[in-house]
Amino acid sequence: MKAEAWQVPTLALLAALVAVFGALWLEGLSHPGPRGGMGNEAPSARRRQLLWLAGWICAVVRLSMEVSRRSGPGWTLAVSVAADQLGPLMFLGSLAPQYLSRKPRILYVVAFGLPLVVYSTVAAVDPSPGLAGQAVVLACAVATLLVAARWSLHKHFIPVWLSLAIVAAVGCPCIWMTLRQDYQEVGALVHSGILLMTALLFVFAFRKPTAGLVLTVGGFAVWSLPAFVEPFLRGQILPLGLDRALHLVQVITAAGMIVLVLEEELASNQASQQRDRRARLEMEKYSRLYLADLPVDEEGDEYDRVCATMTEVSRFSQAAIFVHTPDGSFRIGGRAGLSGALEGALDALARRTSEARTLEVAKGNHFTPVVGNLIRMDLSPLMEPGDELAQMNFRAAWVMGMRTREGRLQGVLLLAGLRHPEEPLQAEDVMPLELLVSRIGAAREHVALLRRLVQSERLAGLGQLAGGVAHELNNPLQSVTGFAELLAEGDPTRAQSHARVILAEARRMKQIVESLMRFRNAASTTRAPIALDQMLRDIASLVRHDLDTAGIVLDLRIPENVPKIKADGEQIRQVFLQVIRNAIGSIEEAPPGAERRLTIEVAAIPKAVEIMFSDTGPGFPEPARAFDPYFTKRHAGEGVGLGLSICYAVVREHGGAISAVNLDPRGAAVVIELPAYIEGAPAKTENGVPSADV
């Protein structure tokens, strides 16, 4: 039979479309990314495109052999028939469930296609096989039918009943025609069934009607018609025009699938842009959170505010932060979106769960990595019999650990109530949460470090404070003991004057002790209204000995009716003491004969209080770097230069400002500005950070 020249244009078009498919698949390899939207069980778009490419290559092979083959059965016809069966099978396998068995991994396409290819090859090589050949083709037909039935039992896009109905409608006649040795009709009917099932899979998988889907589904449906019709023609030939039109249907189907791929790419890009936009908005929202006040060892509203923000902008409607307690367990520090019963049950679970127990559970199969640092955790191993969480069917949640720079676990973020669960979690959904958790961990670590440094500075100044107190108490004690001895000697004429001196000195000692008591009672981590004038006078009395020893004159300028400040009393006292000690050390470096004066001046400015500590020392070598950590002009062994840097951190955390300047002709000043406390006025913030103009 001479070559079918009229099929050459169709073959050329189909080959060109196969080249386009190949280019799209290679493009997907070079730019991998999330594509498609058919659910978590669907194959990746790249794998689908590879199977589609293989299917159209088989179609090109089939058509090219039709154009050039000679008449009569043989291996050429066998290859053509096998390619005709494998092409639609690739399309079917691209959307259907993948594995018949995972151990070992056996693809349904292989299990279904292998006996089908053997059947077609045997029938094409020998149209009238002997008993052995008949047994082989019958066994292949039965095996193909069994695999198809097992394949249909998988719950996927097409309902199981519909899949089984199509398998029965096609498979049973195929077995009957095999027994009658109508092998060519069997191949045509199987070909038709595969194409019809493929068309249905496309309809159920993509759902949204688009131009590409309409062309693809319509092409497969029309392509399957000749296969259904041929068994009833009994060898008759289709009209030439209709035969040519049916060959062009393959070209239309291939073009529709290319359009479908491009539509998927466009939808994927739009979805990716939406995820990126949502991630940016989420990170902007998180960046406005002020985390410097997060408590380390006690509860506070700050964690609730963080959790509320997460449930507002993330994909999770429930959030809870569990902090690590000193006894090694956890407790709930903040929550949002949780009912009272669920919150109580989670808190009870956390309090009886130690870090060691968590690590023990992690060794099992109870942790499933999701994306990034997000883990899907099975809570069942941590529950007790009759646990309330089990009764509420709360058995799993998403968790993310909060760790220090050294990797020590300091808390856990628990998330639940996933919005749009049909959409898998992407990196864009988790990355903002990861950054927020990192900020929370860094803020907690910073607060803990600041407290340790403040405590270290307080202990470092304890010796100076003890010396000053001893000096302040020693003078009145000497007077008391001296006049008490005079009274003991029994001079009644001067007893009254001696008693007055003893009483005055005793009151003086009582005043010193009261100042110390106020200093001790200020050791609180909560912020409260503080009388600034009283605090500065107490501090002045405590450093009086150091000033007298260094020969420094203290000039305290405090006007009447100074506004109060709302602050952590201990931290602000440490700031003032550190600035005064720094000024004393600077004045001691002044040349002999120079004025030795320390001035503390308080001024009320709009909505704030300004405290200036000025001295007559040599000044700062670089005022702009006065608050840099470890930048100090002390000699070796006198300190590490952290004092003023801690002052800077404390003042900034209180919403204030601190600066250092050199005075003319000599001297330096440290100016501290703290927000004034106005009773009943709400605290104003700017981008979540307390503003100095409150």
Side-chain angles (χ1 to χ4, degrees):
M1 185 177 85
K2 66 180 181 179
E4 299 286 352
W6 62 270
Q7 294 182 350
V8 172
T10 304
L11 177 62
L13 286 173
L14 201 58
L17 294 175
V18 169
V20 173
F21 255 113
L24 290 174
W25 182 71
L26 292 175
E27 179 70 16
L29 284 179
S30 59
H31 297 89
R35 297 176 182 175
M38 300 187 304
N40 296 337
E41 298 180 0
S44 67
R46 192 169 58 202
R47 188 192 307 169
R48 290 201 310 272
Q49 291 179 12
L50 177 61
L51 290 174
W52 292 354
L53 177 62
W56 286 116
I57 289 176
C58 291
V60 169
V61 171
R62 162 74 173 178
L63 189 57
S64 62
M65 302 200 75
E66 281 189 0
V67 170
S68 60
R69 74 170 187 262
R70 296 179 180 179
S71 61
W75 288 105
T76 303
L77 179 60
V79 172
S80 176
V81 172
D84 190 40
Q85 298 291 352
L86 287 177
L89 190 58
M90 295 296 105
F91 304 140
L92 178 68
S94 67
L95 298 178
Q98 293 293 299
Y99 296 105
L100 170 67
S101 173
R102 291 185 177 271
K103 292 182 180 181
R105 296 170 70 91
I106 299 176
L107 291 169
Y108 271 113
V109 171
V110 175
F112 183 84
L114 185 60
L116 184 61
V117 170
V118 173
Y119 184 106
S120 302
T121 302
V122 172
V125 172
D126 187 3
S128 300
L131 291 177
Q134 293 177 19
V136 169
V137 294
L138 181 60
C140 290
V142 173
T144 303
L145 178 60
L146 292 177
V147 173
R150 179 67 180 84
W151 203 352
S152 299
L153 291 176
H154 271 281
K155 292 182 179 180
H156 201 48
F157 298 123
I158 298 181
V160 173
W161 66 267
L162 181 57
S163 300
L164 288 175
I166 295 175
V167 169
V170 174
C172 293
C174 287
I175 298 294
W176 178 69
M177 286 186 288
T178 299
L179 294 174
R180 292 181 52 193
Q181 299 185 14
D182 294 333
Y183 303 127
Q184 299 298 327
E185 287 80 358
V186 169
L189 189 56
V190 172
H191 183 274
S192 173
I194 294 174
L195 289 173
L196 179 60
M197 185 71 78
T198 302
L200 291 175
L201 275 173
F202 271 89
V203 171
F204 281 92
F206 289 89
R207 295 181 180 275
K208 185 178 179 180
T210 61
L213 183 61
V214 171
L215 288 175
T216 302
V217 173
F220 278 124
V222 175
W223 191 0
S224 67
L225 290 179
F228 278 118
V229 173
E230 282 179 5
F232 302 99
L233 294 178
R234 301 293 183 180
Q236 298 181 24
I237 302 176
L238 291 174
L240 182 60
L242 181 59
D243 193 19
R244 294 181 180 182
L246 291 174
H247 279 83
L248 287 175
V249 168
Q250 298 182 32
V251 177
I252 296 174
T253 307
M257 294 178 71
I258 291 177
V259 174
L260 193 61
V261 170
L262 296 177
E263 289 172 347
E264 271 197 295
E265 292 287 342
L266 179 60
S268 174
N269 291 336
Q270 291 176 347
S272 179
Q273 291 175 1
Q274 291 178 356
R275 286 194 299 269
D276 291 341
R277 189 181 306 109
R278 185 175 60 201
R280 286 196 303 270
L281 294 176
E282 191 173 344
M283 286 190 290
E284 289 177 4
K285 192 75 172 181
Y286 293 156
S287 67
R288 298 191 183 101
L289 290 172
Y290 183 64
L291 304 179
D293 286 338
L294 285 179
V296 177
D297 51 7
E298 70 275 350
E299 294 190 27
D301 296 338
E302 292 81 4
Y303 287 117
D304 290 338
R305 176 165 47 85
V306 172
C307 291
T309 304
M310 282 190 284
T311 58
E312 177 186 351
V313 297
S314 73
R315 287 196 54 190
F316 299 93
S317 60
Q318 297 174 315
I321 294 178
F322 297 90
V323 294
H324 201 204
T325 59
D327 61 359
S329 63
F330 298 87
R331 62 170 179 74
I332 193 166
R335 75 292 288 161
L338 304 179
S339 64
L342 180 57
E343 177 188 339
L346 287 173
D347 191 39
L349 177 71
R351 290 182 183 274
R352 65 173 180 263
T353 303
S354 63
E355 183 177 357
R357 175 60 177 158
T358 304
L359 295 176
E360 180 182 347
V361 172
K363 296 178 181 178
N365 297 323
H366 307 289
F367 283 7
T368 304
V370 181
V371 180
N373 296 328
L374 190 66
I375 296 172
R376 180 70 169 173
M377 180 180 180
D378 182 10
L379 302 177
S380 300
L382 301 177
M383 296 181 185
E384 295 179 340
D387 198 291
E388 292 184 10
L389 288 175
Q391 297 176 10
M392 289 183 284
N393 200 27
F394 195 92
R395 301 178 181 274
W398 290 268
V399 297
M400 189 181 298
M402 295 188 300
R403 299 185 179 275
T404 63
R405 293 182 179 88
E406 295 78 18
R408 180 174 57 85
L409 185 66
Q410 58 177 340
V412 175
L413 170 64
L414 181 142
L415 301 165
L418 179 64
R419 297 185 176 98
H420 308 294
E422 70 281 357
E423 298 179 9
L425 286 168
Q426 304 286 348
E428 295 87 347
D429 301 320
V430 179
M431 181 181 62
L433 291 170
E434 289 180 329
L435 295 176
L436 178 60
V437 167
S438 298
R439 285 185 59 207
I440 294 174
R444 287 172 53 87
E445 198 171 2
H446 168 73
V447 171
L449 176 61
L450 180 61
R451 289 186 180 181
R452 290 196 297 268
L453 290 176
V454 169
Q455 180 70 7
S456 175
E457 288 289 326
R458 187 172 68 87
L459 293 176
L462 187 59
Q464 297 179 3
L465 179 62
V469 171
H471 174 75
E472 290 291 330
L473 292 176
N474 186 54
N475 290 336
L477 277 174
Q478 287 181 353
S479 300
V480 169
T481 55
F483 283 98
E485 289 174 357
L486 292 176
L487 285 175
E489 291 175 357
D491 185 359
T493 60
R494 307 189 63 183
Q496 189 175 6
S497 62
H498 294 339
R500 283 197 296 267
V501 173
I502 292 173
L503 181 59
E505 295 300 324
R507 288 173 177 171
R508 179 181 170 190
M509 287 188 291
K510 179 183 178 182
Q511 200 172 33
I512 295 173
V513 172
E514 287 177 350
S515 298
L516 287 174
M517 291 299 294
R518 279 195 296 268
F519 186 84
R520 184 182 76 89
N521 293 336
S524 171
T525 57
T526 59
R527 297 183 181 181
I530 295 174
L532 193 60
D533 53 349
Q534 185 63 52
M535 176 185 286
L536 289 173
R537 290 189 176 93
D538 290 344
I539 292 174
S541 65
L542 294 175
V543 300
R544 179 70 62 180
H545 171 67
D546 294 336
L547 296 172
D548 293 342
T549 302
I552 299 173
V553 176
L554 176 62
D555 187 3
L556 195 60
R557 303 176 184 176
I558 304 177
E560 296 181 358
N561 301 323
V562 176
K564 293 182 179 181
I565 61 172
K566 188 174 184 180
D568 185 325
E570 181 186 11
Q571 291 187 357
I572 294 300
R573 284 175 184 269
Q574 293 301 320
V575 168
F576 292 164
L577 282 171
Q578 178 59 47
V579 173
I580 291 173
R581 285 200 296 266
N582 189 79
I584 292 173
S586 178
I587 295 173
E588 287 177 340
E589 296 180 3
E595 182 184 13
R596 291 172 172 254
R597 179 179 294 275
L598 171 62
T599 303
I600 303 177
E601 186 174 0
V602 181
I605 59 177
K607 299 183 181 180
V609 180
E610 182 182 84
I611 309 99
M612 183 172 67
F613 300 83
S614 58
D615 62 75
T616 56
F620 295 101
E622 296 182 45
R625 298 187 59 193
F627 304 102
D628 290 355
Y630 304 104
F631 181 76
T632 178
K633 60 181 181 179
R634 296 180 182 177
H635 300 293
E638 294 183 1
V640 295
L642 283 172
L644 289 182
S645 64
I646 296 176
C647 294
Y648 178 85
V650 171
V651 172
R652 291 292 295 174
E653 282 198 358
H654 281 75
I658 183 170
S659 58
V661 294
N662 285 334
L663 304 178
D664 188 30
R666 62 178 293 105
V670 173
V671 181
I672 299 175
E673 184 179 315
L674 293 170
Y677 171 69
I678 303 175
E679 188 174 358
K684 298 179 182 178
T685 60
E686 182 178 353
N687 294 332
V689 181
S691 175
D693 62 353
V694 176

